[in-house]
Amino acid sequence: MLEDKIKKVIRDVHDFPKKGIVFKDITPILSKPELVHEIIEKLKDQVAHLKIDAIACIESRGFWFGTILAYEMSLPIIPIRKKGKLPHKTVSVEYDLEYGSATIEAHDDAIGKGVNILIHDDLLATGGTASAAADLIIQSGGIVAGFSFLVDLTFLKGKERLRSYSPNMISLIEY
Ligand code: AMP
């Protein structure tokens, strides 16, 4: 099963980026093109019933699969980046982290009014990042068509936090 294949390859890195965190490192997947292909096919399958006009990919690990998925579906890519990385005029949303806050941005002409957007990231933890991306899209007049992740850390209940934006939440594996 694809789920088992992915779980076998994902690497747990303890105490990264700080003590107490078990970081789910998906980079070993990237060296297995056959597995990348299967993952993209599965994601495509899972979002096929949704009306999607563009895919918003969250920096930086969300770029890997989000970009390939958008390419495969012939859809535009909307880069969602950390503050200060995008060169042109931006729209931004500040959100809370465990300690302190962070800001994500998109170019102000990247999100069209009434455009149905799938938000993609590698992993769903508390849902803070994905909900900030959803706020950014709504604030710019876009529509949140759904969310896709490779991994859902279900014990952090991220999906509960995202439900109010869209009931369409896809994750390939869960812990
Ligand atoms: P959150 O905003 O809490 O849902 O965190 C999700 C974001 O943080 C994603 O962009 C993930 O790449 C990253 N992240 C959070 N926790 C982990 C983890 N345990 N392993 C890998 N990435 C993580």
Side-chain angles (χ1 to χ4, degrees):
M1 243 175 87
L2 179 59
E3 188 175 320
D4 302 324
K5 283 192 207 170
I6 300 172
K7 279 195 171 171
K8 250 190 214 147
V9 173
I10 285 182
R11 178 165 56 193
D12 280 1
V13 182
H14 290 263
D15 299 322
F16 181 87
K18 58 184 178 196
K19 216 168 170 41
I21 304 276
V22 181
F23 189 85
K24 298 289 180 191
D25 178 18
I26 69 161
T27 61
I29 299 174
L30 302 176
S31 57
K32 297 191 177 310
E34 274 304 315
L35 186 54
V36 171
H37 182 77
E38 276 187 66
I39 288 170
I40 293 295
E41 288 304 304
K42 183 78 178 187
L43 287 173
K44 248 166 69 181
D45 244 37
Q46 302 244 7
V47 300
H49 67 290
L50 303 178
K51 181 171 162 32
I52 303 169
D53 306 314
I55 301 184
C57 307
I58 300 178
E59 177 174 355
S60 56
R61 289 175 292 271
F63 290 172
W64 297 330
F65 286 89
T67 303
I68 304 173
L69 182 63
Y71 176 80
E72 283 290 321
M73 297 176 74
S74 300
L75 290 173
I77 297 158
I78 301 169
I80 307 270
R81 301 210 60 182
K82 287 166 191 146
K83 191 180 169 69
K85 302 277 187 182
L86 289 166
H88 195 58
K89 201 163 167 251
T90 55
V91 283
S92 62
V93 164
E94 191 181 335
Y95 64 104
D96 290 333
L97 296 174
E98 197 180 347
Y99 301 105
S101 66
T103 301
I104 52 167
E105 298 183 327
H107 273 145
D108 77 338
D109 56 359
I111 301 167
K113 304 246 177 298
V115 170
N116 295 294
I117 299 168
L118 177 76
I119 296 171
H120 176 85
D121 203 356
D122 66 325
L123 179 143
L124 174 64
T126 64
T129 312
S131 65
D135 288 337
L136 194 57
I137 285 164
I138 292 164
Q139 180 183 303
S140 304
I143 295 162
V144 179
F147 299 89
S148 71
F149 307 93
L150 265 54
V151 182
D152 176 9
L153 302 182
T154 55
F155 53 91
L156 293 173
K157 304 193 183 318
K159 281 187 178 157
E160 282 177 25
R161 186 161 176 183
L162 299 182
R163 207 171 300 280
S164 61
Y165 296 100
S166 168
N168 305 314
M169 294 175 281
I170 287 136
S171 54
L172 300 188
I173 59 167
E174 296 182 343
Y175 291 96

